[in-house]
Amino acid sequence: MLKPLGDRILVKVDEEKEQTVGGIVLANNAKEKPQTGEVVAIGTGERTPDGKDIPMTIKKGDKVIYDKYAGSEVKYDGQDYLVMHEKDVMAIVE
């Protein structure tokens, strides 16, 4: 499994929806990229210039909503993931 470093998190991207509410099937290039996913791994947290550790507020298993263009796409074992900074997460879904 991948282990993010520092204040980064690894998010398993939610599946794209195949059709709209009206039942129209969309072409792949017309689909909107999902902005939600599940956190599958977290880094150790941010370190300040004076050496203090700032713990992560997000934890493994959290369902999150993130910025539209956040993170870097990574494919590992046939699954799509995003590696992003904790600050790119807008909300945790409870």
Side-chain angles (χ1 to χ4, degrees):
M1 179 46 96
L2 300 173
K3 173 86 172 137
L5 301 175
D7 69 334
R8 290 180 177 85
I9 61 173
L10 183 68
V11 176
K12 180 179 174 186
V13 179
D14 285 345
E15 296 290 321
E16 294 179 12
K17 294 183 179 177
E18 289 296 319
Q19 54 187 345
T20 64
V21 177
I24 299 169
V25 178
L26 298 173
N28 281 341
N29 59 355
K31 294 178 190 173
E32 256 197 56
K33 190 171 150 184
Q35 290 177 254
T36 60
E38 180 183 347
V39 178
V40 294
I42 62 170
T44 55
E46 190 174 354
R47 180 164 282 182
T48 63
D50 60 349
K52 293 182 183 176
D53 289 330
I54 302 172
M56 302 283 276
T57 55
I58 295 172
K59 57 188 177 302
K60 186 177 174 181
D62 282 348
K63 180 91 168 165
V64 294
I65 300 172
Y66 49 85
D67 286 333
K68 190 169 195 161
Y69 301 105
S72 298
E73 294 178 359
V74 176
K75 192 168 211 134
Y76 181 76
D77 278 347
Q79 178 66 47
D80 290 328
Y81 296 99
L82 278 176
V83 178
M84 68 181 74
H85 290 277
E86 183 181 32
K87 67 182 178 188
D88 292 332
V89 173
M90 297 186 300
I92 297 172
V93 180
E94 296 183 341

